[in-house]
Each structure stands twice: as structure tokens, then as C-alpha cells.
Amino acid sequence: MNFNLISWLFTDPWTAGQNAGLGGPEAFHFYVPWLVFCTAGLLICFYYAVEGRKRFFKNQAVIKYMLDRYLSWFAAICLVGYPLIFARAYLDQYFFAWRIWRYLWLLWLVGWAIWWVVYLVRKFPEEQASFLAYRQRQQYIPKSSRRKAKARAASR
């Protein structure tokens, strides 16, 4: 028996179950972990957006910028996970129940994680050093006083 990857990726669960002689759709055992992962991911992103950004990263602008960028993508990935698992569970004879969608979603998640790790290793230290140097320079630039500005405006 030879394995056909294209056929395997683009076969709906009902047809795969019929071909295997199951008399029904092919079993999928990852509903609970998938839902837990997507729910936890959305809760983390929501908590960061509502409270964590202000509470944990008040004065750390570079970390805020990084988390704003990468957690918004993570939220999108988790949000797309819900319709995919719904399609697998309830639309098992249709287009969105194909395995290709779940593997593309997983590829998207892995690509996002690799992108973030590469950012943390390559760009983040440079951005952090640049921001610290900027903050150091700002110490020596005199701040304008509102009183002086009002006095200048009143003397004109």
C-alpha cells in the first residue's frame, strides 16, 4: 500500500472514515487540547491588552512594542483556530474539515514562533540598547517649563 500525501491532506474525515471501513467519520482526538490552547492564548492576549501592558511594562517601551506586535498575531492565530476545530467537528463532510487547514494553521503557529525567536535573538538586543541610549541622552536635554513659557507669552 503506498501513501498519497495529497489525497491524505485533501480528504474530508467522512470519506477517510469510509475508506478505512469505519462506517462514519474518522476519529479526531485533539479537540480538548486544541480548544484549551486557543482559549488560553486568547485569554493571555486579552489580559495583556487590558491589564498586563500597564501593570507589568509601564516604563519598558521596547518590550511593550514587541508584545503589542507579536501578541496581536498570536491572538489572530488563536481566533482562527476556533472555526477550524468547529469545521472538523461539525462540518466533517465539507471543505474546511480537510486536514490541510489544520496543518496550515500549525505551520502558521510554528512560523510565528520562529519569527518571534529570531526577533528576540537578533533585533531585540539592538532595539533595547538603542532605547537605553536614547533615555540616557534625554537626561541631559533641559525640559521646558510651563511657567517660563507662560512668562514669555505674557511679556510679548
Side-chain angles (χ1 to χ4, degrees):
M1 181 173 151
N2 69 14
F3 179 72
N4 185 352
L5 179 65
I6 302 299
S7 172
W8 184 77
L9 286 173
F10 292 98
T11 301
D12 62 88
W14 190 264
T15 306
Q18 294 298 325
N19 292 344
L22 299 175
E26 180 181 50
F28 183 71
H29 305 286
F30 300 109
Y31 291 115
V32 173
W34 189 300
L35 288 173
V36 166
F37 177 81
C38 289
T39 303
L42 284 177
L43 286 175
I44 288 169
C45 294
F46 178 74
Y47 178 76
Y48 170 75
V50 171
E51 183 67 27
R53 187 173 197 273
K54 293 179 278 190
R55 178 181 284 186
F56 299 118
F57 306 109
K58 285 181 190 173
N59 301 325
Q60 300 170 351
V62 179
I63 294 176
K64 275 188 200 179
Y65 173 71
M66 175 191 60
L67 290 175
D68 287 347
R69 283 179 43 202
Y70 289 98
L71 285 182
S72 63
W73 277 104
F74 186 58
I77 292 169
C78 290
L79 203 58
V80 168
Y82 285 112
L84 289 179
I85 201 66
F86 173 81
R88 174 58 181 91
Y90 298 108
L91 304 175
D92 56 2
Q93 294 180 354
Y94 298 99
F95 176 71
F96 286 111
W98 292 351
R99 288 182 186 99
I100 188 73
W101 299 116
R102 292 188 306 278
Y103 285 100
L104 284 174
W105 180 86
L106 184 63
L107 188 64
W108 186 20
L109 179 66
V110 169
W112 169 82
I114 290 171
W115 186 32
W116 195 2
V117 168
V118 167
Y119 172 81
L120 283 173
V121 171
R122 290 191 180 168
K123 290 229 176 188
F124 182 74
E126 294 171 9
E127 289 180 5
Q128 185 77 1
S130 174
F131 179 72
L132 291 175
Y134 170 75
R135 190 184 288 172
Q136 183 78 20
R137 285 190 309 268
Q138 289 302 101
Q139 289 181 34
Y140 301 108
I141 296 174
K143 306 269 189 277
S144 64
S145 169
R146 290 182 188 233
R147 284 188 231 152
K148 290 179 184 178
K150 285 182 185 179
R152 274 188 236 137
S155 66
R156 289 184 188 175

